[in-house]
Coordinates of all heavy atoms in Angstrom, one line a residue:
M1 N 10.1 -30.2 67.8 CA 10.0 -31.6 67.4 C 11.4 -32.1 66.9 O 11.9 -31.6 66.0 CB 9.0 -31.7 66.3 CG 8.7 -33.1 65.8 SD 7.5 -32.9 64.5 CE 6.5 -34.3 64.8
K2 N 11.9 -33.1 67.5 CA 13.2 -33.6 67.2 C 13.1 -34.9 66.3 O 12.3 -35.7 66.7 CB 14.0 -33.9 68.4 CG 14.8 -32.8 69.0 CD 15.7 -33.3 70.0 CE 16.7 -32.2 70.4 NZ 17.6 -32.7 71.4
F3 N 13.8 -35.0 65.2 CA 13.9 -36.2 64.5 C 15.1 -36.9 64.8 O 16.2 -36.3 65.1 CB 13.9 -35.9 63.0 CG 12.6 -35.4 62.4 CD1 12.4 -34.1 62.0 CD2 11.5 -36.3 62.3 CE1 11.2 -33.7 61.5 CE2 10.3 -35.9 61.8 CZ 10.1 -34.6 61.4
S4 N 15.0 -38.2 64.9 CA 16.2 -39.0 65.2 C 17.1 -39.0 63.9 O 16.7 -38.7 62.8 CB 15.8 -40.4 65.6 OG 15.3 -41.1 64.5
N5 N 18.3 -39.4 64.1 CA 19.3 -39.5 63.0 C 18.8 -40.5 62.0 O 19.0 -40.4 60.8 CB 20.7 -39.9 63.6 CG 21.3 -38.7 64.2 OD1 21.0 -37.5 64.0 ND2 22.3 -39.0 65.0
R6 N 18.2 -41.6 62.5 CA 17.7 -42.6 61.6 C 16.6 -42.1 60.6 O 16.6 -42.4 59.5 CB 17.2 -43.8 62.4 CG 16.8 -45.0 61.7 CD 16.4 -46.1 62.6 NE 16.6 -47.3 62.1 CZ 16.4 -48.5 62.7 NH1 15.9 -48.4 63.9 NH2 16.6 -49.6 62.1
V7 N 15.7 -41.3 61.2 CA 14.6 -40.7 60.3 C 15.2 -39.7 59.3 O 14.8 -39.7 58.2 CB 13.5 -40.1 61.2 CG1 12.5 -39.3 60.4 CG2 12.8 -41.1 62.1
L8 N 16.1 -38.9 59.8 CA 16.7 -37.9 58.9 C 17.5 -38.6 57.8 O 17.4 -38.1 56.6 CB 17.6 -36.9 59.7 CG 16.9 -35.9 60.6 CD1 17.9 -35.1 61.4 CD2 16.0 -35.0 59.7
S9 N 18.3 -39.6 58.1 CA 19.1 -40.3 57.1 C 18.1 -41.0 56.1 O 18.4 -41.0 54.9 CB 20.1 -41.2 57.7 OG 19.4 -42.2 58.5
S10 N 17.0 -41.6 56.6 CA 16.1 -42.2 55.7 C 15.5 -41.2 54.7 O 15.3 -41.5 53.5 CB 15.0 -42.9 56.5 OG 15.5 -43.9 57.3
L11 N 15.1 -40.0 55.2 CA 14.5 -39.0 54.4 C 15.5 -38.5 53.3 O 15.2 -38.2 52.2 CB 14.0 -37.8 55.2 CG 12.8 -38.1 56.0 CD1 12.5 -36.9 56.9 CD2 11.6 -38.3 55.1
L12 N 16.8 -38.4 53.8 CA 17.8 -38.0 52.8 C 18.0 -39.0 51.7 O 18.1 -38.6 50.5 CB 19.1 -37.8 53.6 CG 20.3 -37.3 52.8 CD1 20.0 -35.9 52.2 CD2 21.6 -37.3 53.6
V13 N 18.0 -40.3 52.1 CA 18.2 -41.3 51.1 C 17.0 -41.4 50.1 O 17.2 -41.4 48.9 CB 18.4 -42.7 51.7 CG1 18.3 -43.8 50.7 CG2 19.7 -42.8 52.5
I14 N 15.8 -41.2 50.6 CA 14.6 -41.2 49.8 C 14.6 -40.0 48.9 O 14.3 -40.1 47.7 CB 13.3 -41.2 50.7 CG1 13.2 -42.6 51.3 CG2 12.1 -40.9 49.8 CD1 12.1 -42.7 52.4
S15 N 15.0 -38.9 49.4 CA 15.1 -37.7 48.5 C 16.1 -37.8 47.4 O 15.9 -37.4 46.3 CB 15.5 -36.4 49.4 OG 14.5 -36.2 50.4
F16 N 17.3 -38.4 47.7 CA 18.3 -38.7 46.7 C 17.8 -39.6 45.6 O 18.0 -39.4 44.4 CB 19.6 -39.2 47.4 CG 20.7 -39.5 46.4 CD1 21.4 -38.5 45.8 CD2 20.9 -40.8 46.0 CE1 22.4 -38.8 44.9 CE2 21.9 -41.1 45.1 CZ 22.7 -40.1 44.6
I17 N 17.1 -40.7 46.0 CA 16.6 -41.6 45.1 C 15.5 -41.0 44.2 O 15.5 -41.1 42.9 CB 16.0 -42.9 45.8 CG1 17.1 -43.7 46.4 CG2 15.2 -43.7 44.8 CD1 16.6 -44.8 47.3
F18 N 14.7 -40.2 44.8 CA 13.7 -39.4 44.0 C 14.3 -38.5 43.0 O 13.9 -38.4 41.8 CB 12.7 -38.7 44.9 CG 11.7 -37.9 44.2 CD1 10.6 -38.6 43.6 CD2 11.7 -36.5 44.1 CE1 9.6 -37.9 43.0 CE2 10.8 -35.8 43.4 CZ 9.7 -36.5 42.9
L19 N 15.3 -37.7 43.4 CA 16.0 -36.8 42.6 C 16.7 -37.5 41.4 O 16.7 -37.1 40.3 CB 17.0 -36.0 43.4 CG 17.9 -35.0 42.6 CD1 17.0 -33.9 42.0 CD2 18.9 -34.4 43.5
A20 N 17.4 -38.6 41.7 CA 18.1 -39.4 40.7 C 17.1 -40.0 39.7 O 17.3 -39.9 38.4 CB 18.9 -40.5 41.3
A21 N 15.9 -40.4 40.1 CA 14.9 -41.0 39.2 C 14.3 -39.9 38.3 O 14.2 -40.1 37.1 CB 13.8 -41.7 40.0
T22 N 14.0 -38.8 38.8 CA 13.4 -37.7 38.0 C 14.4 -37.1 37.0 O 14.1 -36.8 35.9 CB 12.8 -36.6 38.9 OG1 13.8 -36.1 39.8 CG2 11.7 -37.0 39.7
T23 N 15.7 -37.1 37.4 CA 16.7 -36.6 36.5 C 16.9 -37.5 35.3 O 17.0 -37.1 34.2 CB 18.1 -36.4 37.3 OG1 17.9 -35.5 38.3 CG2 19.1 -35.9 36.3
E24 N 16.9 -38.8 35.6 CA 17.1 -39.8 34.5 C 15.9 -39.8 33.6 O 16.0 -39.9 32.4 CB 17.3 -41.2 35.1 CG 17.7 -42.2 34.1 CD 18.2 -43.5 34.7 OE1 18.9 -43.4 35.7 OE2 17.9 -44.5 34.1
M25 N 14.7 -39.6 34.2 CA 13.5 -39.6 33.3 C 13.5 -38.4 32.4 O 13.1 -38.4 31.3 CB 12.2 -39.6 34.2 CG 12.0 -40.9 34.8 SD 10.4 -41.0 35.8 CE 9.9 -39.4 36.1
G26 N 14.1 -37.3 32.9 CA 14.1 -36.1 32.1 C 15.1 -36.2 30.9 O 14.8 -35.7 29.9
L27 N 16.1 -37.0 31.1 CA 17.1 -37.2 30.0 C 16.4 -38.1 28.9 O 16.7 -37.9 27.7 CB 18.3 -37.9 30.5 CG 19.2 -37.1 31.4 CD1 20.4 -37.9 31.9 CD2 19.7 -35.9 30.7
A28 N 15.6 -39.0 29.2 CA 14.9 -39.9 28.3 C 13.9 -39.1 27.4 O 13.5 -39.5 26.4 CB 14.3 -41.1 29.0
D29 N 13.4 -38.0 28.0 CA 12.4 -37.3 27.3 C 12.9 -36.4 26.2 O 12.1 -35.8 25.4 CB 11.6 -36.4 28.3 CG 10.8 -37.3 29.2 OD1 10.5 -38.4 28.9 OD2 10.4 -36.7 30.3
K30 N 14.2 -36.2 26.1 CA 14.7 -35.3 25.0 C 14.7 -36.0 23.7 O 15.1 -37.1 23.5 CB 16.2 -34.9 25.4 CG 16.2 -34.0 26.6 CD 17.6 -33.6 26.9 CE 17.7 -32.7 28.1 NZ 19.0 -32.3 28.4
I31 N 14.1 -35.3 22.7 CA 14.0 -35.9 21.4 C 14.7 -34.9 20.4 O 14.5 -33.7 20.4 CB 12.5 -36.1 21.0 CG1 11.9 -37.1 21.9 CG2 12.4 -36.5 19.5 CD1 10.5 -37.5 21.6
C32 N 15.6 -35.5 19.6 CA 16.3 -34.8 18.5 C 15.5 -34.9 17.2 O 15.0 -35.9 16.9 CB 17.7 -35.3 18.3 SG 18.8 -35.1 19.7
K33 N 15.4 -33.7 16.5 CA 14.7 -33.7 15.3 C 15.6 -33.3 14.2 O 16.4 -32.3 14.4 CB 13.5 -32.7 15.3 CG 12.5 -33.0 16.3 CD 11.4 -31.9 16.3 CE 10.4 -32.2 17.4 NZ 9.4 -31.1 17.5
T34 N 15.5 -33.9 13.0 CA 16.4 -33.6 11.9 C 15.5 -33.7 10.6 O 14.7 -34.6 10.5 CB 17.5 -34.6 11.8 OG1 18.3 -34.6 13.0 CG2 18.5 -34.2 10.6
R35 N 15.7 -32.7 9.8 CA 15.0 -32.7 8.5 C 15.4 -33.9 7.7 O 16.6 -34.2 7.5 CB 15.2 -31.4 7.8 CG 14.4 -31.3 6.5 CD 14.6 -29.9 5.9 NE 14.2 -29.9 4.5 CZ 14.5 -29.0 3.7 NH1 15.2 -28.0 4.0 NH2 14.1 -29.1 2.4
S36 N 14.4 -34.6 7.1 CA 14.7 -35.8 6.3 C 15.4 -35.4 5.0 O 15.1 -34.4 4.4 CB 13.4 -36.4 5.9 OG 13.6 -37.5 5.0
D37 N 16.4 -36.2 4.7 CA 17.2 -36.0 3.4 C 16.5 -36.7 2.2 O 16.7 -36.3 1.1 CB 18.6 -36.6 3.5 CG 19.4 -35.7 4.5 OD1 19.2 -34.5 4.6 OD2 20.3 -36.3 5.1
R38 N 15.7 -37.7 2.5 CA 15.1 -38.5 1.5 C 13.6 -38.1 1.1 O 13.2 -38.4 0.0 CB 15.1 -40.0 1.9 CG 16.5 -40.5 2.2 CD 16.9 -41.4 1.0 NE 18.2 -41.9 1.2 CZ 18.5 -43.1 1.1 NH1 17.6 -44.0 0.8 NH2 19.8 -43.5 1.2
F39 N 12.9 -37.5 2.0 CA 11.5 -37.2 1.8 C 11.4 -35.9 0.9 O 12.1 -34.9 1.2 CB 10.8 -36.9 3.1 CG 9.3 -36.9 3.0 CD1 8.6 -38.0 3.2 CD2 8.6 -35.7 2.6 CE1 7.2 -38.0 3.1 CE2 7.2 -35.7 2.5 CZ 6.5 -36.8 2.8
T40 N 10.7 -36.0 -0.2 CA 10.6 -34.9 -1.1 C 9.2 -34.3 -1.1 O 8.2 -35.1 -0.9 CB 11.0 -35.3 -2.6 OG1 10.1 -36.4 -3.0 CG2 12.4 -35.8 -2.6
G41 N 9.1 -33.1 -1.4 CA 7.8 -32.4 -1.5 C 7.2 -32.0 -0.1 O 7.9 -32.1 0.9
L42 N 6.0 -31.6 -0.1 CA 5.3 -31.2 1.1 C 5.0 -32.5 1.9 O 4.5 -33.5 1.4 CB 4.0 -30.4 0.8 CG 4.2 -29.0 0.2 CD1 2.8 -28.4 -0.1 CD2 5.0 -28.1 1.1
C43 N 5.1 -32.4 3.2 CA 4.8 -33.5 4.1 C 3.4 -33.3 4.6 O 3.1 -32.4 5.3 CB 5.8 -33.5 5.3 SG 5.5 -34.9 6.4
L44 N 2.5 -34.2 4.1 CA 1.1 -34.1 4.4 C 0.6 -35.4 5.2 O -0.5 -35.4 5.7 CB 0.2 -34.0 3.2 CG 0.5 -32.8 2.3 CD1 -0.3 -32.8 1.0 CD2 0.3 -31.5 3.1
S45 N 1.5 -36.3 5.4 CA 1.2 -37.6 6.1 C 2.3 -37.9 7.1 O 3.4 -38.3 6.6 CB 0.9 -38.7 5.1 OG 0.9 -39.9 5.8
D46 N 1.9 -37.9 8.4 CA 2.9 -38.3 9.4 C 3.4 -39.8 9.2 O 4.5 -40.1 9.4 CB 2.3 -38.2 10.8 CG 2.2 -36.7 11.2 OD1 3.0 -35.9 10.7 OD2 1.4 -36.5 12.1
N47 N 2.4 -40.6 8.7 CA 2.8 -42.0 8.5 C 3.8 -42.2 7.4 O 4.8 -43.0 7.6 CB 1.5 -42.8 8.2 CG 1.7 -44.3 8.2 OD1 2.4 -44.8 9.1 ND2 1.1 -45.0 7.3
S48 N 3.6 -41.5 6.3 CA 4.6 -41.6 5.2 C 6.0 -41.1 5.6 O 7.0 -41.7 5.3 CB 4.1 -40.8 4.0 OG 2.9 -41.3 3.5
C49 N 6.0 -40.0 6.4 CA 7.2 -39.5 6.9 C 7.9 -40.4 7.8 O 9.1 -40.7 7.7 CB 6.9 -38.1 7.6 SG 8.3 -37.4 8.3
A50 N 7.2 -41.0 8.7 CA 7.7 -42.0 9.7 C 8.3 -43.2 9.0 O 9.4 -43.7 9.3 CB 6.7 -42.4 10.7
I51 N 7.7 -43.7 7.9 CA 8.2 -44.8 7.2 C 9.5 -44.5 6.5 O 10.4 -45.3 6.6 CB 7.1 -45.3 6.1 CG1 5.9 -45.9 6.8 CG2 7.7 -46.3 5.1 CD1 4.7 -46.2 5.9
I52 N 9.6 -43.4 5.9 CA 10.9 -43.0 5.2 C 12.0 -42.8 6.3 O 13.1 -43.3 6.1 CB 10.7 -41.6 4.5 CG1 9.7 -41.8 3.3 CG2 12.0 -41.1 4.0 CD1 10.1 -42.7 2.2
C53 N 11.6 -42.2 7.4 CA 12.7 -42.0 8.4 C 13.2 -43.3 9.0 O 14.4 -43.5 9.2 CB 12.1 -41.1 9.6 SG 11.9 -39.4 9.1
R54 N 12.2 -44.3 9.3 CA 12.6 -45.5 9.8 C 13.4 -46.4 8.9 O 14.4 -47.0 9.2 CB 11.4 -46.3 10.4 CG 10.9 -45.8 11.7 CD 9.9 -46.7 12.3 NE 8.7 -46.9 11.5 CZ 7.6 -46.2 11.7 NH1 7.5 -45.4 12.7 NH2 6.6 -46.4 10.9
Q55 N 12.9 -46.5 7.6 CA 13.4 -47.5 6.7 C 14.7 -47.0 6.0 O 15.6 -47.8 5.8 CB 12.4 -47.9 5.6 CG 11.3 -48.7 6.2 CD 10.3 -49.2 5.1 OE1 10.4 -48.7 4.0 NE2 9.3 -50.0 5.5
F56 N 14.7 -45.8 5.6 CA 15.9 -45.3 4.8 C 16.9 -44.5 5.6 O 18.0 -44.3 5.2 CB 15.3 -44.5 3.6 CG 14.5 -45.3 2.7 CD1 13.1 -45.1 2.7 CD2 15.0 -46.3 1.9 CE1 12.3 -45.9 1.8 CE2 14.2 -47.0 1.1 CZ 12.9 -46.8 1.0
E57 N 16.5 -43.9 6.7 CA 17.4 -43.0 7.4 C 17.7 -43.4 8.8 O 18.4 -42.8 9.5 CB 16.8 -41.5 7.4 CG 16.5 -41.0 6.0 CD 16.2 -39.6 6.0 OE1 16.7 -38.8 6.8 OE2 15.3 -39.2 5.2
K58 N 17.2 -44.6 9.2 CA 17.6 -45.2 10.5 C 17.2 -44.4 11.7 O 18.0 -44.4 12.7 CB 19.0 -45.7 10.5 CG 19.4 -46.5 9.3 CD 18.6 -47.8 9.2 CE 19.1 -48.6 8.0 NZ 18.1 -49.5 7.5
F59 N 16.1 -43.7 11.6 CA 15.6 -42.9 12.8 C 14.5 -43.8 13.5 O 14.1 -44.8 12.9 CB 15.1 -41.6 12.4 CG 16.2 -40.5 12.2 CD1 16.8 -40.5 11.0 CD2 16.5 -39.7 13.2 CE1 17.8 -39.5 10.8 CE2 17.5 -38.7 13.0 CZ 18.1 -38.6 11.8
E60 N 14.1 -43.4 14.6 CA 13.0 -44.1 15.4 C 11.7 -43.8 14.8 O 10.8 -44.6 14.8 CB 13.1 -43.7 16.8 CG 14.3 -44.2 17.5 CD 14.4 -43.7 19.0 OE1 13.5 -43.1 19.5 OE2 15.5 -44.0 19.6
S61 N 11.4 -42.5 14.3 CA 10.1 -42.1 13.8 C 10.3 -40.8 13.0 O 11.4 -40.4 12.8 CB 9.1 -42.0 15.0 OG 7.8 -41.8 14.5
G62 N 9.1 -40.3 12.7 CA 9.1 -39.0 12.0 C 7.7 -38.4 11.9 O 6.8 -39.1 12.1
H63 N 7.7 -37.1 11.7 CA 6.4 -36.5 11.6 C 6.5 -35.2 10.7 O 7.6 -34.7 10.5 CB 5.8 -36.1 13.0 CG 6.6 -35.1 13.7 ND1 7.7 -35.4 14.4 CD2 6.4 -33.7 13.8 CE1 8.2 -34.3 14.9 NE2 7.4 -33.2 14.5
C64 N 5.4 -34.7 10.3 CA 5.4 -33.5 9.5 C 5.4 -32.3 10.4 O 4.7 -32.3 11.5 CB 4.1 -33.4 8.6 SG 3.9 -34.8 7.5
G65 N 6.1 -31.3 10.1 CA 6.2 -30.1 10.9 C 6.9 -28.9 10.3 O 7.4 -29.0 9.2
G66 N 6.9 -27.9 11.0 CA 7.5 -26.7 10.5 C 6.6 -25.8 9.7 O 5.5 -26.2 9.2
A67 N 7.1 -24.6 9.4 CA 6.3 -23.7 8.6 C 6.2 -24.1 7.1 O 5.2 -23.8 6.5 CB 7.0 -22.3 8.6
F68 N 7.1 -24.9 6.6 CA 7.1 -25.4 5.2 C 6.6 -26.8 5.1 O 6.8 -27.4 4.0 CB 8.4 -25.1 4.6 CG 8.8 -23.7 4.6 CD1 9.8 -23.3 5.5 CD2 8.2 -22.8 3.8 CE1 10.2 -21.9 5.5 CE2 8.6 -21.4 3.8 CZ 9.6 -21.0 4.7
L69 N 6.0 -27.4 6.1 CA 5.5 -28.8 6.1 C 6.6 -29.8 5.6 O 6.4 -30.5 4.6 CB 4.3 -28.9 5.2 CG 3.0 -28.2 5.7 CD1 1.9 -28.3 4.8 CD2 2.6 -28.7 7.1
R70 N 7.7 -29.8 6.3 CA 8.8 -30.7 6.0 C 8.6 -32.0 6.8 O 8.0 -32.0 7.9 CB 10.1 -30.0 6.3 CG 10.3 -28.7 5.6 CD 10.6 -29.0 4.1 NE 10.9 -27.7 3.5 CZ 10.9 -27.5 2.2 NH1 10.6 -28.5 1.4 NH2 11.3 -26.4 1.7
C71 N 9.3 -33.0 6.4 CA 9.3 -34.3 7.1 C 10.5 -34.2 8.1 O 11.6 -33.9 7.7 CB 9.5 -35.4 6.2 SG 9.7 -37.0 7.0
L72 N 10.2 -34.3 9.4 CA 11.2 -34.2 10.5 C 11.4 -35.6 11.1 O 10.5 -36.2 11.6 CB 10.8 -33.2 11.5 CG 10.5 -31.8 11.1 CD1 10.0 -31.0 12.2 CD2 11.8 -31.2 10.5
C73 N 12.6 -36.2 10.9 CA 12.9 -37.5 11.5 C 13.3 -37.3 13.0 O 13.9 -36.3 13.3 CB 14.0 -38.1 10.8 SG 13.7 -38.5 9.1
T74 N 12.9 -38.2 13.9 CA 13.1 -38.0 15.3 C 13.8 -39.3 15.9 O 13.6 -40.4 15.4 CB 11.8 -37.8 16.0 OG1 10.9 -38.9 15.8 CG2 11.1 -36.5 15.6
K75 N 14.5 -39.0 17.0 CA 15.1 -40.1 17.8 C 15.5 -39.5 19.1 O 15.6 -38.3 19.3 CB 16.4 -40.6 17.1 CG 17.5 -39.6 17.0 CD 18.7 -40.2 16.4 CE 19.9 -39.2 16.3 NZ 21.1 -39.8 15.7
A76 N 15.6 -40.4 20.1 CA 16.0 -40.0 21.4 C 17.4 -39.5 21.4 O 18.3 -40.2 20.8 CB 15.8 -41.1 22.4
C77 N 17.7 -38.4 22.1 CA 19.1 -37.9 22.1 C 19.9 -38.6 23.1 O 19.5 -39.1 24.1 CB 19.1 -36.4 22.5 SG 18.2 -35.4 21.3

């Protein structure tokens, strides 16, 4: 079965576009986490942690995590 040059080049272009789109989507999914400097005590509420991270530390969000229940501020890398 022979493919014409036109079909092969179309498939190549579509493959390249698909590869570029999936690579860019993968970069957006990376999230950096940093322990909050302002949150004190055990982190028992994701909402409280997120408020501290957004208002005082200029991060996008935050959540409780880790073995010691610390507030972790998050942002896209």
Side-chain angles (χ1 to χ4, degrees):
M1 181 185 221
K2 276 189 165 181
F3 285 111
S4 69
N5 285 341
R6 189 177 205 177
V7 172
L8 287 175
S9 61
S10 296
L11 288 174
L12 182 63
V13 169
I14 290 170
S15 298
F16 178 75
I17 291 170
F18 179 75
L19 179 64
T22 56
T23 301
E24 188 167 324
M25 287 184 343
L27 292 175
D29 292 338
K30 292 184 181 180
I31 296 190
C32 292
K33 298 178 186 178
T34 303
R35 184 174 161 194
S36 173
D37 292 329
R38 300 257 178 127
F39 194 94
T40 58
L42 293 177
C43 184
L44 301 174
S45 169
D46 286 338
N47 190 39
S48 296
C49 176
I51 289 170
I52 296 294
C53 290
R54 282 193 297 261
Q55 288 183 355
F56 298 107
E57 300 190 38
K58 307 300 181 204
F59 280 84
E60 293 173 6
S61 188
H63 68 275
C64 300
F68 299 106
L69 293 176
R70 304 288 186 194
C71 176
L72 301 173
C73 297
T74 58
K75 67 179 178 179
C77 296

